[in-house]
Structures are given as structure tokens and as C-alpha cells.
Amino acid sequence: MSKAYFNYAGKRLLQAIVVILLSYVFTFVVVSILPGDPITNVLNNPQNGFTPDEIKEIIAAQGLDKPIPEQLWNAFSGFVTGDLGLSMRTNRPVATLIGEVLPSTLVLASAGLAVALFLAAIIAYGTQFLPRRYGQGLLRGFPSLFLSVPNFVIGLVLIHLFGFQLGVFRVIEPDSFWATLFAAIALGIPISAQIAEVLIVNLDHESGQDYAAVARGRGLGQMRLFVMHLLKPSSLPVITVVALTIGELLGGSLITETVFGRNGLGSLVQRSVSTQDLPVLQAVVSLAAVVFVVVNLIADLTYPLLDPRVKLLGTQQRRPTTTDDSSVPISKAVTP
């Protein structure tokens, strides 16, 4: 690895830390500092049934009686060390509540991403090697169709068809293998649309290059040509798309969990919203921001390692979204 890469990686890491800090401060300001903050409104709302003594105890437990700078420092230092505070409703540590449901969400999100990548690869392959009327017409319309249908609609259709009609899985067992698989399908179909669009565009570009024509001339089969020569250079921009869709993946997981009745972050957020448990909501939002920033940081650091044609100019580099060099103003792609 070159010195330029380490300089670039250090700057990107510093930028990621700054973004995480600013996102946490923004969330803290919205929830805790602005006049008429939601926490005070919740405590003083007569419908919630808090007595004056209970309000004082909650304020003391949440540290709301301390100066604002001290509140922010205590909250952020606790967030860094894994102490996310106490739930206003259950009086349990927020980290414990999240830890109980996070594995289910991670399983669903990972399976949904795998489904999205698989569907995108199948569609992209078909557009290159199926007969023209299918590959150029029908399959190229699939991404637009997938993107236009919300994942909760897909989930309801899958539950009705495979749960109630065919009995492939039981709705009362949302964590079973088949229920998880169909939940992942509902989550992955809309996400696969964006990945497939980028992959198709780059496959069209790569398939017209001289090396692809030479491989065809030597009698290389379609599958070997696709896997050995076209897929790798075409899939590199997919790293960018996957990183940018992490937020959509997390948001879709919350909705899909609610539709399929899974006990994950979605159900925790739903309960927290209905009971106005703001410390839990603040922790979930902050963790989602951290995940999004970290995934994009990993993508930024991985791309120049996977593509030897990318040369860093100075200490900055931008992830290209297509194989056209004109779309990469800060980095320069050259063929070795």
C-alpha cells in the first residue's frame, strides 16, 4: 500500500468520525435541548400518569437536571462506551433492549442483501445472454418494476400466498427458516433494483470492450465469460451502490419486521414510538447513523484496493458509479 493510500484512509477515517459526532450532537439537540423538548413533554403529559416524585426520579436518572454541556458530554461518552442510558418506560438499559433484538435484524438485513445481490446478478446475466426480446426488453424492465413496489406490499403478498394459501411457513413462527427467507425476499426485491441497474449499465460497457470480443472469438462459454471476465470489473461500482443503500436496507428491515411479526429493531422502534420512549429512539437513530457511516467508509477504503486501475491523485479519491472515467473527477482510472 502506498503512502498516498494511507493518507487518504486517514482523512476518510477522520471525516467519518466527524460525521458520527455531528449526527449524534444533532440528534441530542433535537431530542433533549430545544425548547419544549419531547422528553419534558412526555413527562409532563397527564395522560402518561407520572407523579411529581416519579418525574423527579426520571429526570435525575436521565441526567436532565445537569447543565446542557455536561448532559451532552455524559451522553456522548456513554454512547462511545456502550452505555446508551435507561429506558423511560421499562427502566432497563437501552443497550440491553437493543442487544436482545439486534441479532434478528442483522440476520434479516444480511439475508435481504444476499437476496438483492443474487437477483441483481441473475437479471444482469439475463440481459446479456438471453435472446434479445427477453434480455433487452422484459428483464431490463424488472428493476423499474421492483423499485415501484414497496417492500411491505411484497411482504403481504408473500404472506398471503406462501403463508396462508400454500402453508410453506407459519405466520406464528416468524423466526423460522422459511419465514425469514420470505421476509428477506420482500426486503431484497426493491433493493435489487438499484444494484441491477448499475450492474446492467456496466456490463453493457464491458461487453463491448476488446478483451470481451477476443474471449468470444476464442470460444469461451457465456457463463465463463460472465464470471471470469465481465463480472468483476462491472461489479466494482456495485460496492458504491450497496454502501449507499444501507440506510434503505435498515429502514426496510424495520418495516418488514413489522409486517412479518419479527421481534427485531422494528418492533422495538414501534413500541418506543407508541410509548414515546425517547432514549431508545435516540439510541437507535444514532446507531443507524454509525452503521451507515462505517459501511460507506469501508466501501471508500476497499474500492482502490480492489481496482488496480484506480490511482489516487494527492490524498483524495471518489468512488465511481460507472465505468466511464469522466464520472470520476478526483481519481484517474488508467489501464495497466
Side-chain angles (χ1 to χ4, degrees):
M1 298 183 186
S2 65
K3 181 179 179 181
Y5 176 80
F6 283 109
N7 291 337
Y8 162 73
K11 285 194 173 184
R12 288 295 295 118
L13 179 60
L14 181 60
Q15 291 172 2
I17 294 174
V18 171
V19 171
I20 292 174
L21 175 61
L22 292 178
S23 64
Y24 186 86
V25 171
F26 176 78
T27 305
F28 181 85
V29 168
V30 170
V31 173
S32 304
I33 295 181
L34 291 180
D37 62 275
I39 291 180
T40 303
N41 293 338
V42 170
L43 295 177
N44 293 329
N45 189 344
Q47 296 181 353
N48 292 323
F50 291 113
T51 65
D53 292 336
E54 289 175 338
I55 292 176
K56 291 180 180 178
E57 292 179 1
I58 294 175
I59 289 177
Q62 299 288 342
L64 302 178
D65 54 346
K66 296 181 174 60
I68 289 176
E70 185 177 351
Q71 291 183 39
L72 177 58
W73 172 252
N74 291 338
F76 184 74
S77 59
F79 178 76
V80 172
T81 58
D83 182 6
L84 304 179
L86 296 175
S87 168
M88 293 176 56
R89 294 297 178 177
T90 64
N91 203 34
R92 296 178 62 196
V94 175
T96 301
L97 296 177
I98 294 178
E100 291 174 351
V101 298
L102 185 59
S104 176
T105 299
L106 291 178
V107 168
L108 177 60
S110 301
L113 180 59
V115 169
L117 292 174
F118 177 76
L119 288 176
I122 293 297
I123 294 173
Y125 177 84
T127 60
Q128 301 299 314
F129 301 111
L130 286 181
R132 184 175 181 84
R133 61 176 179 174
Y134 299 112
Q136 300 296 326
L138 182 62
L139 282 181
R140 288 179 183 268
F142 275 17
S144 298
L145 175 63
F146 290 169
L147 196 60
S148 64
V149 182
N151 63 340
F152 70 87
V153 174
I154 299 174
L156 292 175
V157 172
L158 293 176
I159 290 174
H160 176 75
L161 180 60
F162 293 97
F164 294 119
Q165 298 296 325
L166 300 179
V168 176
F169 67 94
R170 302 177 64 185
V171 180
I172 61 175
E173 297 177 355
D175 294 324
S176 65
F177 171 80
W178 288 108
T180 301
L181 176 61
F182 285 108
I185 292 174
L187 176 61
I189 286 178
I191 297 174
S192 69
Q194 304 174 49
I195 302 174
E197 286 283 6
V198 174
L199 194 54
I200 290 171
V201 170
N202 286 275
L203 280 173
D204 290 342
H205 179 273
E206 294 296 329
S207 62
Q209 299 300 306
D210 293 340
Y211 73 87
V214 171
R216 293 190 189 96
R218 292 179 176 176
L220 199 65
Q222 292 181 352
M223 180 59 70
R224 292 188 63 189
L225 174 64
F226 178 76
V227 174
M228 297 177 58
H229 296 280
L230 298 180
L231 186 59
K232 181 178 179 180
S234 300
S235 62
L236 288 175
V238 173
I239 297 175
T240 301
V241 179
V242 171
L244 294 177
T245 56
I246 288 298
E248 181 181 349
L249 187 67
L250 293 176
S253 297
L254 304 186
I255 298 174
T256 305
E257 285 174 349
T258 302
V259 172
F260 281 82
R262 295 174 61 88
N263 185 26
L265 280 179
S267 59
L268 178 63
V269 170
Q270 184 182 32
R271 292 194 302 268
S272 301
V273 170
S274 61
T275 61
Q276 296 180 307
D277 198 346
L278 295 171
V280 175
L281 294 177
Q282 181 179 356
V284 172
V285 171
S286 300
L287 288 175
V290 170
V291 171
F292 184 81
V293 171
V294 169
V295 170
N296 278 270
L297 174 63
I298 293 174
D300 282 337
L301 298 181
T302 301
Y303 198 97
L305 297 178
L306 294 180
D307 191 350
R309 297 173 300 175
V310 173
K311 303 296 182 182
L312 298 177
L313 297 182
T315 56
Q316 291 185 333
Q317 184 256 358
R318 182 174 298 172
R319 289 170 290 160
T321 55
T322 67
T323 55
D324 184 2
D325 296 344
S326 62
S327 67
V328 193
I330 302 182
S331 65
K332 181 180 181 182
V334 296
T335 304

